[in-house]
Amino acid sequence: APPDLCHGHSGMFQAMAQQECYFINGTEQVRYVLRFIYNREPYATFDSDVGNYVGFTPFGERYAERWNSDPDTLEYRRASVDTYCRQNYEGMTPLNTERRDPPSPSQCPP
């Protein structure tokens, strides 16, 4: 294909998915959030508190509709609270909750 001569096109695109777990009172209440982002713009998300996918752009709405119509996909994502978040809670706990010593005054910025 010939090169794109439009100066507005950098030729670099970024697509990513970001998973987050929120723990309230240990593992008593756990929330799992999966965000889909394209070129720094979120286009769809799955939130375990909502229980299905939500689209934020026309592109994301089409994908959310497709994912929500598949019971296996929804069951897999809803189970992520247990299989992803709670499964990894013990490994993440020392990083999130334990603090050995308070910072000394010499470590604090002026």
Side-chain angles (χ1 to χ4, degrees), residues 40-106:
R40 296 186 216 154
E41 181 181 348
Y43 65 89
T45 189
F46 175 86
D47 186 334
S48 62
D49 285 354
V50 176
N52 59 15
Y53 291 88
V54 177
F56 302 116
T57 66
F59 176 77
E61 288 173 358
R62 285 194 308 269
Y63 270 90
E65 186 178 320
R66 182 185 309 163
W67 293 326
N68 288 332
S69 68
D70 182 2
D72 292 334
T73 298
L74 284 177
E75 180 181 348
Y76 178 80
R77 283 295 165 217
R78 289 173 181 155
S80 293
V81 168
D82 294 319
T83 61
Y84 181 74
C85 295
R86 285 193 175 104
Q87 178 73 22
N88 293 309
Y89 178 76
E90 288 188 24
M92 289 187 260
T93 303
L95 302 173
N96 295 335
T97 60
E98 290 180 14
R99 181 169 235 166
R100 294 189 181 117
D101 294 317
S104 68
S106 64

